[in-house]
């Protein structure tokens, strides 16, 4: 390996600056760990010279949908006026990310007593998760800053996405994942895209801590969501959503919370859209966590959002098995700014919600299903009112964690766990595979039996 490049990420910004979220210190460059040089807190990207006109932006974004240029075909770079600027569009490492569907969930709406329920399905991105929207921007700026290596700690999706974008951009990638704690689907993606993949004998929080040390002594560019370029890309989820809704904000947007980068990015986008006049009011942005990985819930309830309450994380929704979320302060800020809620849901509630989404022909991974499970609670609590519109952000594709789905339908998911008896309630939703003799008679009998249920 060579030495650390002199030009730290974004050292020659044309249009943006880094701002510390705690002390407000502004700088033109960022250290390798993306922490404030004065107080050590996280950085965000700000655009002091923005003079955008909302109407012009909407027109430009709409017109780009007719273009065949790679940068316009990307559902992220199409919104480039609200991203750090590139000298030219060819610099972007893109896999045509974004452009994800907004689905109606009529059955889930009926079951949960809301008039209209929509799902913004980020699992339809090129590598199957929302990470691609942030990765196209951050990987592009890694290459632009002269780095040869990129690295991340991951519960699986970040590593899959990073490995793909690195490969497309001619960069090498290093993945740190907790051994035995991520799904094979995600691990196999990183392998196929050529990452150097290390399974560390620790959890996600241990992997992230190590990465933070590594980037200070090796010339690798970190692509976790601590990297503020990631969050700029992930903002476009909200821009695209509002465009799909003809710029009429829903009453609620509900998102899963793990390391809390995505909720922070969506919240930043909502506030920027409001400030630019793209929307006239803010949706309430709510974050849902698994009960076994509920650091933000506890931080808000037990410490008034003032100091992080870390937890030892445990959940079958492995994507959000995180006990020490890096972006907790950013997330607490956007929850406060949009008057959103923060809730936790049980393992059984997650499994039930995942099955309900799957039964609509949509499907998602367990971490995404916390949004529907959380909605049930927010309706019961009266936080989501009858007649209010709701958008769930589905963060990952169903195929990301087939083991969870198979164990659920076979009835093995909660076997031997303390949730075993509570899980009986899920039996009606299970559709286990049926092994039969290869005869017409056997299949017809099965069909007749199924018709009765
Ligand atoms: N949903 C999925 C499918 C995820 O993969 C993640 C995070 C989240 C939700 C939570 O998002 O961290 O921005 O609050 N996955 C990371 C990873 C940590 O390494 O893939 P967050």
């Amino acid at each position: 390996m060579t030495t650390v490049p002199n030009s730290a990420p974004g050292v020659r910004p044309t249009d943006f600056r880094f701002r510390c979220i705690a002390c407000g210190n502004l700088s033109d460059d960022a250290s390798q760990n993306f922490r404030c040089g004065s107080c050590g807190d996280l950085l965000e990207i700000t655009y002091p010279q923005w003079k955008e006109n909302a109407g012009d932006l909407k027109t430009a974004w709409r017109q780009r949908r007719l273009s065949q240029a790679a940068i316009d075909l990307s559902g992220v770079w199409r919104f480039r006026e609200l991203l750090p600027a590139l000298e030219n569009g060819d610099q972007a490492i893109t896999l045509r990310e974004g452009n994800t569907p907004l689905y109606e969930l009529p059955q889930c709406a009926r079951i949960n007593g809301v008039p209209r329920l929509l799902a913004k399905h980020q699992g339809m991105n090129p590598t199957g998760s929302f990470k691609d929207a942030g990765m196209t921007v951050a990987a592009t700026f890694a290459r632009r800053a002269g780095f040869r290596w990129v690295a991340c700690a991951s519960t699986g999706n970040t590593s899959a996405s990073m490995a793909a974008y690195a490969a497309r951009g001619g960069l090498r990638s290093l993945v740190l994942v907790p051994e035995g704690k991520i799904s094979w689907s995600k691990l196999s993606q990183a392998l196929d895209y050529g990452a150097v993949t290390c399974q560390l004998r620790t959890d996600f929080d241990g992997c992230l801590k190590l990465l933070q040390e590594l980037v200070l002594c090796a010339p690798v560019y970190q692509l976790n969501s601590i990297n503020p370029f990631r969050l700029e890309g992930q903002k476009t989820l909200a821009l695209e959503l509002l465009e799909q809704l003809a710029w009429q904000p829903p009453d609620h947007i509900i998102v899963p919370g793990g390391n809390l980068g995505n909720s922070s990015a969506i919240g930043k986008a909502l506030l920027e859209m409001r400030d630019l006049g793209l929307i006239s009011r803010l949706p309430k942005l709510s974050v849902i966590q698994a009960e076994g990985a509920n650091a933000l819930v506890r931080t808000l309830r037990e410490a008034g959002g003032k100091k992080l309450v870390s937890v030892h994380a445990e959940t079958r929704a492995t994507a959000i098995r995180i006990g020490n979320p890096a972006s907790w302060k950013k997330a607490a800020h956007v929850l406060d700014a949009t008057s959103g809620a923060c809730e936790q849901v049980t393992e059984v509630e997650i499994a039930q919600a995942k099955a309900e989404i799957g039964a609509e022909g949509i499907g998602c991974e367990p971490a995404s299903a916390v949004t529907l499970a959380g909605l049930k609670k927010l309706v019961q609590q009266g936080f989501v009112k009858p007649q209010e519109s709701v958008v769930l952000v589905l963060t990952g594709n169903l195929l990301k964690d087939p083991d969870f789905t198979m164990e659920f339908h076979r009835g093995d998911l909660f076997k031997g766990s303390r949730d075993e008896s509570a899980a009986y309630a899920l039996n009606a939703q299970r559709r286990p595979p049926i092994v039969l003799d290869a005869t017409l008679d056997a299949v017809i009998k099965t069909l007749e039996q199924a018709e009765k249920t």
Side-chain angles (χ1 to χ4, degrees):
M1 274 194 190
T2 48
T3 52
V4 178
N6 288 334
S7 53
V11 87
R12 293 176 290 105
T14 47
D15 64 331
F16 66 89
R17 304 192 78 191
F18 297 100
R19 181 172 57 201
C20 171
I21 60 162
C23 73
N25 186 40
L26 286 166
S27 58
D28 287 338
D29 54 11
S31 62
Q32 294 267 76
N33 62 357
F34 291 107
R35 296 212 169 250
C36 171
S38 305
C39 75
D41 218 316
L42 294 187
L43 303 177
E44 64 179 359
I45 286 177
T46 129
Y47 306 86
Q49 291 152 25
W50 262 359
K51 290 190 197 69
E52 312 293 345
N53 171 284
D56 293 347
L57 286 175
K58 289 178 187 175
T59 308
W61 295 339
R62 199 172 43 242
Q63 280 172 351
R64 280 182 196 146
R65 288 156 94 181
L66 302 171
S67 161
Q68 287 301 311
I71 192 149
D72 294 333
L73 288 167
S74 161
V76 171
W77 293 103
R78 192 159 67 80
F79 299 100
R80 56 190 170 270
E81 283 77 5
L82 304 196
L83 299 176
L86 298 173
E87 285 81 14
N88 77 65
D90 296 342
Q91 288 176 315
I93 305 172
T94 170
L95 285 163
R96 298 196 188 175
E97 53 290 319
N99 300 312
T100 57
L102 183 62
Y103 293 122
E104 296 271 356
L105 295 179
Q107 291 174 45
C108 293
R110 205 171 45 248
I111 295 170
N112 293 290
V114 289
R116 192 171 187 212
L117 183 58
L118 295 166
K120 176 72 175 154
H121 205 330
Q122 293 300 96
M124 299 301 187
N125 266 295
T127 75
S129 85
F130 72 99
K131 307 287 180 180
D132 296 343
M135 210 53 79
T136 181
V137 176
T140 295
F141 277 87
R143 188 168 69 175
R144 184 173 170 271
F147 283 85
R148 216 163 66 77
W149 279 87
V150 291
C152 72
S154 184
T155 56
N157 281 325
T158 300
S159 49
S161 180
M162 179 190 75
Y165 281 84
R168 296 298 295 177
L171 300 166
R172 303 287 316 273
S173 63
L174 173 73
V175 162
L176 307 181
V177 290
E179 199 217 349
K181 303 290 186 200
I182 79 167
S183 87
W184 290 117
S185 299
K186 298 172 188 178
L187 189 64
S188 64
Q189 286 181 287
L191 303 182
D192 226 33
Y193 302 141
V196 174
T197 304
C198 306
Q199 296 180 277
L200 303 186
R201 292 186 199 93
T202 179
D203 54 11
F204 168 83
D205 300 293
C207 292
L208 187 58
K209 188 161 170 287
L210 200 84
L211 180 74
Q212 294 279 290
E213 291 166 21
L214 179 73
V215 294
L216 292 177
C217 58
V220 294
Y221 183 89
Q222 76 141 313
L223 285 181
N224 276 94
S225 56
I226 291 172
N227 180 326
F229 291 102
R230 279 268 316 274
L231 300 199
E232 291 307 290
Q234 285 171 214
K235 280 188 333 193
T236 57
L237 177 172
L239 300 172
E240 190 176 84
L241 168 67
L242 267 296
E243 188 187 55
Q244 286 165 319
L245 293 172
W247 304 101
Q248 296 305 311
D251 296 302
H252 296 271
I253 299 176
I254 303 181
V255 63
N259 213 20
L260 298 172
N262 205 31
S263 38
S264 304
I266 296 169
K268 186 170 190 278
L270 294 175
L271 296 171
E272 289 177 356
M273 276 190 273
R274 194 236 0 231
D275 294 348
L276 287 166
L278 287 160
I279 52 174
S280 53
R281 66 181 174 85
L282 287 173
K284 293 189 170 86
L285 178 65
S286 294
V287 174
I288 312 297
Q289 297 195 297
E291 211 171 70
N294 60 354
L296 184 65
V297 175
R298 294 190 56 185
T299 295
L300 297 176
R301 290 183 190 169
E302 294 167 27
K306 298 279 182 279
K307 107 179 188 346
L308 177 66
V309 179
S310 303
V311 299
H312 176 77
E314 203 48 77
T315 169
R316 284 297 304 259
T318 53
I320 51 173
R321 192 174 175 276
I322 295 172
N324 200 18
S327 293
W328 69 272
K329 262 191 207 170
K330 289 185 180 181
H333 168 68
V334 297
L335 283 183
D336 186 46
T338 67
S339 307
C342 185
E343 253 308 332
Q344 58 187 354
V345 292
T346 66
E347 297 293 296
V348 172
E349 288 166 343
I350 295 171
Q352 178 176 355
K354 182 171 140 22
E356 285 175 10
I357 295 168
E360 298 249 29
I362 303 290
C364 63
E365 67 168 286
S368 308
V370 300
T371 54
L372 181 64
L375 172 65
K376 290 175 198 287
K377 289 213 157 148
L378 297 180
V379 169
Q380 280 157 17
Q381 293 163 3
F383 181 79
V384 172
K385 304 202 171 47
Q387 302 316 315
E388 286 190 327
S389 56
V390 181
V391 176
L392 308 179
V393 178
L394 302 183
T395 44
N397 197 287
L398 171 75
L399 300 175
K400 284 284 193 172
D401 195 348
D403 285 352
F404 184 102
T405 309
M406 288 306 296
E407 285 182 39
F408 173 83
H409 288 289
R410 290 201 160 118
D412 296 338
L413 193 60
F414 296 106
K415 243 189 199 145
S417 81
R418 65 188 167 87
D419 293 321
E420 195 162 356
S421 53
Y424 284 133
L426 304 177
N427 282 349
Q429 285 162 299
R430 286 176 39 228
R431 299 281 178 271
I434 304 158
V435 179
L436 297 175
D437 288 334
T439 65
L440 196 57
D441 188 43
V443 175
I444 287 174
K445 277 207 179 100
T446 306
L447 197 59
E448 285 167 356
Q449 191 62 34
E451 183 66 25
K452 291 182 204 142
T453 57

